[in-house]
Amino acid sequence: VVQSADGSNDGYVLDAGELATFGENTKTDGAEETAGTDKYFTIHYSAGTKVEAKSKEFTDGYKSVNRINFAGAVKKTQNSISFTTTGKAKVKVYWGAADAKREMAIINDAGEKIAVTEENPTKDQLCCWEVTLENAGTYYLGGSEKKNYIFRVEVTEGEPEEISRADWSTVAEPEIT
């Protein structure tokens, strides 16, 4: 569990494995669904969006069950996942390239790109992107120029506090009396 400096748990997760699978033309352009921890995220669909069963394992051990397959580039009204932060936030995205050299982006409420990956991936390459958003606001995540696959999104608000513990070699053995 990641905690902010004040001790509260400010981590939110959207895992595509928690979504029902469906094919193209199931949703309409602009259809929305809230999902994830405390319904923190809003998914903005287009008619071409699919949620597909795809089992993948990322290098850090995360194993996916489903992926969101948006039908185009990130927009505020479709092909995106939005969330609103109350301050500084760390965002971690597990994603896959739908084709070579496709990147992910985050746009702000004004529609301006404020962060873009620099992976230069090959087709179907699995990627993990971590970015810090410095200011409070509403943000939209999706493919930079065209579609990509999103497996999981994590947002942690505030400054994470590192919890240090003594090395076990320096801890005295317990005595049973």
Side-chain angles (χ1 to χ4, degrees):
V1 173
V2 176
Q3 294 182 330
S4 63
D6 67 5
S8 62
N9 177 4
D10 288 325
Y12 300 95
V13 175
L14 170 61
D15 194 305
E18 297 171 4
L19 303 173
T21 58
F22 60 86
E24 285 184 76
N25 299 313
T26 302
K27 304 288 185 180
T28 58
D29 287 346
E32 295 181 349
E33 175 182 1
T34 55
T37 309
D38 299 331
K39 305 277 187 203
Y40 180 77
F41 301 91
T42 301
I43 305 169
H44 305 272
Y45 295 111
S46 67
T49 301
K50 304 179 270 190
V51 173
E52 304 167 301
K54 288 289 176 181
S55 297
K56 300 285 183 183
E57 185 168 352
F58 287 75
T59 57
D60 68 355
Y62 165 67
K63 294 178 183 178
S64 73
V65 178
N66 294 344
R67 71 181 184 193
I68 301 169
N69 181 348
F70 286 127
V74 60
K75 295 180 184 175
K76 288 174 53 173
T77 57
Q78 59 188 23
N79 300 319
S80 64
I81 297 170
S82 69
F83 53 91
T84 300
T85 66
T86 58
K88 186 174 185 175
K90 180 179 156 193
V91 180
K92 185 173 185 178
V93 183
Y94 292 85
W95 65 283
D99 207 348
K101 300 183 181 185
R102 292 202 181 165
E103 303 289 348
M104 294 295 291
I106 294 176
I107 62 174
N108 62 17
D109 211 27
E112 303 161 328
K113 283 185 186 172
I114 60 158
V116 180
T117 58
E118 296 178 1
E119 288 287 331
N120 195 25
T122 58
K123 181 177 173 58
D124 294 324
Q125 179 179 334
L126 298 177
C127 305
C128 188
W129 180 34
E130 292 187 45
V131 62
T132 299
L133 303 173
E134 296 294 332
N135 301 307
T138 298
Y139 299 97
Y140 302 80
L141 167 71
S144 178
E145 302 297 327
K146 296 184 178 178
K147 75 174 186 172
N148 277 321
Y149 311 126
I150 299 174
F151 296 89
R152 180 180 174 97
V153 180
E154 301 173 1
V155 177
T156 305
E157 293 198 51
E159 295 289 335
E161 180 180 323
E162 292 293 324
I163 300 171
S164 61
R165 293 187 168 74
D167 184 307
W168 280 112
S169 65
T170 64
V171 177
E173 290 185 34
E175 291 184 26
I176 301 173
T177 56

